[in-house]
């Protein structure tokens, strides 16, 4: 199939596939097509291949879908940067797309038992966060963290899709307004800081001014060096009776990028996790800076939290300084789960995109915890982990999905499982 790379042909796009693709079938095999919509007739250019499938971009739309809209970020289109593969799809259709992918992954990769349990619980809608008014109607201004790279020519940009090449940008429409106000792409004050190859991170916290890190050096919104290394994040936990929660997070540390994600996830994860449990002994895995650890502790849970990043644990200890939670820096593996999880009634885990995996899930199963709350940002990894939990004797009780990443194929899913007696 290598001879097809670079060639163009006309196809009808089929159903969505995980990763922001539509499937198409030609005589030579299956093609994964970006920038198309199901049912569209499009001209594609074959861009790459693997052993069994081809990859392509839609470069001309011959018969458009009614769900197609003008791209809100053309620079992320064919031949452009990664991170905006659904920018040509209406927001409503994006959420339908993601729901279809969730169902496909759970039923195809999760196994028969997961499919049966899903039929009992019901497939959730992928929920929008916040109002659809003003610019948010286009899903813009929803990223409070933006990662950029300086090109060899000294221009600020991002890597091309699956490429090491840095493509220069003149704007970033998905960024929060406070990041756009920094004028990183045009303001002269930033230019002397942008050395070729430098990694630039812009952060718009919910409390305080935006900040920028260039390597290890941190700058304020005035482009002058700052001695501060942490930003303040404020989470509305009034739905749990806790009012506002305040966190300190390192500028280069992990935090949910959608401004409304922390509030939404705290309400869902902590509320569902503690429902009906009285001060449970809790094991939290991949705890980060303590987003869930703090409200769990304030509501009486006896938390032991494991996190591999030393910086995140340091942030967590600042945020939990007057609480009784135990924060441990440790790689999350089967040995650590067994060592720190003995007697846990509740397990909360928010693993990276690859998921928790067999060894960790099986170790959790041995704890015999009454309830597990699993947060997942990848539906394929979620399906595999759910299949493993079901094999360990857990029953899916609740599932919710949230569109935390408009204009990309990513979304977040929260699952609550209970141990079958």
């Amino acid at each position: 199939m290598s001879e097809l790379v670079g060639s163009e042909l006309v196809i009808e796009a089929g159903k969505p596939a995980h990763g922001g693709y539509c499937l198409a079938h030609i005589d030579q095999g299956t093609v994964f097509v970006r920038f198309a919509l199901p049912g569209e007739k499009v001209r594609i250019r074959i861009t790459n291949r693997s052993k069994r499938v081809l990859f392509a971009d839609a470069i001309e739309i011959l018969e458009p879908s009614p769900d197609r809209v003008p791209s809100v970020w053309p620079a992320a289109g064919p031949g452009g940067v990664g991170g905006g593969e659904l920018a040509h799809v209406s927001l409503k259709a994006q959420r339908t797309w993601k729901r279809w992918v969730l169902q496909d992954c759970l039923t195809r990769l999760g196994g028969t038992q997961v499919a049966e349990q899903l039929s009992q619980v019901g497939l959730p809608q992928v929920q929008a966060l916040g109002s659809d008014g003003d610019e948010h109607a286009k899903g813009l201004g929803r990223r409070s963290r933006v990662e950029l790279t300086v090109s060899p020519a000294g221009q600020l940009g991002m890597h091309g899709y699956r490429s090491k090449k840095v493509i220069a940008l003149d704007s970033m429409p998905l960024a929060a307004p406070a990041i756009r106000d920094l004028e990183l792409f045009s303001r002269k004050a930033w230019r002397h800081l942008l050395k070729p190859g430098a990694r630039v991170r812009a952060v718009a916290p919910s409390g305080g001014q935006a900040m920028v890190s260039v390597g290890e050096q941190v700058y304020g919104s005035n482009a002058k060096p700052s001695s501060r290394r942490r930003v303040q994040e404020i989470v509305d936990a009034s739905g749990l009776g806790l009012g506002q929660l305040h966190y300190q997070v390192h500028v280069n540390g992990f935090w949910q990028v959608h401004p409304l994600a922390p509030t939404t996830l705290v309400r869902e994860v902590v509320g569902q996790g503690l429902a009906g449990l009285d001060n449970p002994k809790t094991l939290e895995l991949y705890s980060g800076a303590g987003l869930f650890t703090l409200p769990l502790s304030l509501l009486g849970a006896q938390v032991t939290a494991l996190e591999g990043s030393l910086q995140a644990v340091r942030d967590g200890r600042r945020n939990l300084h007057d609480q009784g939670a135990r924060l441990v820096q440790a790689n999350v593996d089967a040995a650590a789960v067994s060592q720190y999880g003995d007697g846990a009634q509740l397990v909360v885990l928010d693993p990276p995109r690859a998921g928790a995996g067999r060894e960790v899930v099986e170790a959790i199963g041995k704890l015999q915890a009454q309830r597990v709350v699993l947060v997942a940002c990848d539906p394929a990894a979620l399906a595999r982990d759910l299949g493993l939990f079901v094999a360990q004797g857990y029953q899916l009780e609740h599932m919710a999905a949230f569109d935390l990443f408009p204009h990309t194929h990513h979304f977040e899913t929260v699952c609550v499982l209970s141990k079958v007696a």
Side-chain angles (χ1 to χ4, degrees):
M1 292 192 291
S2 58
E3 68 277 4
L4 290 174
V5 175
S7 63
E8 297 180 7
L9 60 156
V10 174
I11 57 95
E12 180 175 329
K15 62 185 180 181
H18 180 40
Y21 302 99
C22 283
L23 294 179
H25 299 282
I26 60 176
D27 292 343
Q28 293 85 350
T30 300
V31 188
F32 285 76
V33 182
R34 295 196 309 151
F35 309 118
L37 275 156
E40 288 188 330
K41 184 178 181 181
V42 298
R43 184 180 303 278
I44 64 173
R45 178 180 294 123
I46 306 296
T47 58
N48 204 347
R49 69 175 183 88
S50 69
K51 290 182 179 179
R52 292 189 290 181
V53 300
L54 294 161
F55 297 90
D57 287 351
I59 58 173
E60 183 182 1
I61 312 304
L62 303 175
E63 295 179 6
S65 163
D67 293 323
R68 177 173 288 274
V69 298
S71 175
V72 300
W73 191 16
V81 301
E85 60 275 4
L86 297 185
H88 62 289
V89 185
S90 72
L91 284 177
K92 182 179 179 181
Q94 286 183 37
R95 292 161 192 154
T96 300
W97 178 307
K98 294 175 183 184
R99 186 172 187 249
W100 194 98
V101 169
L102 177 62
Q103 181 179 39
D104 176 61
C105 287
L106 291 175
T107 55
R108 184 169 49 84
L109 302 177
T112 303
Q113 289 182 303
V114 170
E116 291 175 352
Q117 293 192 13
L118 180 65
S119 67
Q120 297 172 16
V121 172
L123 183 71
Q125 300 289 336
V126 178
Q127 302 176 42
L129 270 61
S131 168
D132 278 340
D134 54 66
E135 70 169 1
H136 293 166
K138 295 183 178 180
L140 304 179
R142 296 298 186 109
R143 293 191 71 90
S144 66
R145 267 82 176 157
V146 172
E147 309 279 350
L148 302 163
T149 302
V150 183
S151 75
Q155 298 172 298
L156 202 56
M158 295 174 63
H159 286 95
Y161 178 70
R162 291 190 173 180
S163 170
K164 295 182 179 180
K165 179 183 178 181
V166 178
I167 298 175
L169 296 173
D170 57 15
S171 66
M172 180 34 162
L174 305 191
I179 292 177
R180 297 205 300 267
D181 289 346
L182 293 170
E183 298 179 310
L184 290 170
F185 300 99
S186 59
R187 192 170 162 193
K188 291 183 179 179
W190 296 108
R191 291 180 185 173
H192 73 284
L193 305 175
L194 305 181
K195 307 300 181 183
R199 300 299 299 273
V200 178
R201 187 174 214 241
V203 177
S206 52
Q209 294 185 341
M211 300 189 74
V212 176
S213 69
V214 182
E216 296 300 318
Q217 181 60 57
V218 178
Y219 299 87
S221 58
N222 58 2
K224 295 182 179 180
S226 173
S227 60
R228 293 175 55 205
R229 291 293 181 271
R230 289 177 173 82
V231 295
Q232 184 182 53
E233 296 289 354
I234 302 171
V235 177
D236 180 6
S238 57
L240 299 173
L242 297 175
Q244 288 189 337
L245 302 180
H246 294 256
Y247 298 80
Q248 295 291 323
V249 183
H250 195 278
V251 172
N252 290 324
F254 174 79
W255 191 255
Q256 292 287 344
V257 298
H258 193 299
L260 299 180
T263 291
T264 301
L265 293 177
V266 162
R267 181 184 67 242
E268 185 72 15
V269 171
V270 177
Q272 292 286 341
L274 294 181
L277 297 180
D278 186 20
N279 302 331
K281 187 173 181 180
T282 301
L283 177 66
E284 184 185 358
L285 306 176
Y286 317 95
S287 56
L291 175 62
F292 303 136
T293 322
L294 180 56
L296 284 167
S297 299
L298 289 170
L299 291 171
Q302 306 165 55
V303 184
T304 297
L306 306 186
E307 167 58 48
S309 165
L310 177 58
Q311 185 59 69
V313 172
R314 287 173 174 167
D315 289 344
R317 287 173 179 161
R318 286 173 176 262
N319 297 326
L320 276 292
H321 66 92
D322 58 353
Q323 300 300 317
R326 181 185 184 189
L327 276 64
V328 179
Q329 191 216 345
N331 290 328
V332 177
D333 55 24
V337 171
S338 300
Q339 179 180 353
Y340 294 102
D342 185 45
Q345 301 161 278
L346 170 65
V347 177
V348 174
L349 65 159
D350 185 3
R353 190 157 293 160
R358 180 178 298 277
E359 292 184 1
V360 169
V361 171
E362 290 181 350
I364 293 172
K366 293 177 182 178
L367 300 179
Q368 300 292 308
Q370 295 174 237
R371 182 174 299 153
V372 171
V373 181
L374 170 61
V375 185
C377 60
D378 183 280
L382 169 65
R384 291 188 289 267
D385 283 348
L386 279 181
L388 294 168
F389 273 115
V390 169
Q392 294 295 309
Y394 280 91
Q395 175 77 33
L396 181 62
E397 300 286 351
H398 171 79
M399 180 181 290
F402 303 98
D403 191 17
L404 305 190
F405 311 96
H407 304 300
T408 79
H409 70 275
H410 300 293
F411 58 99
E412 205 91 357
T413 309
V414 178
C415 296
V416 180
L417 302 107
S418 61
K419 190 70 174 179
V420 178

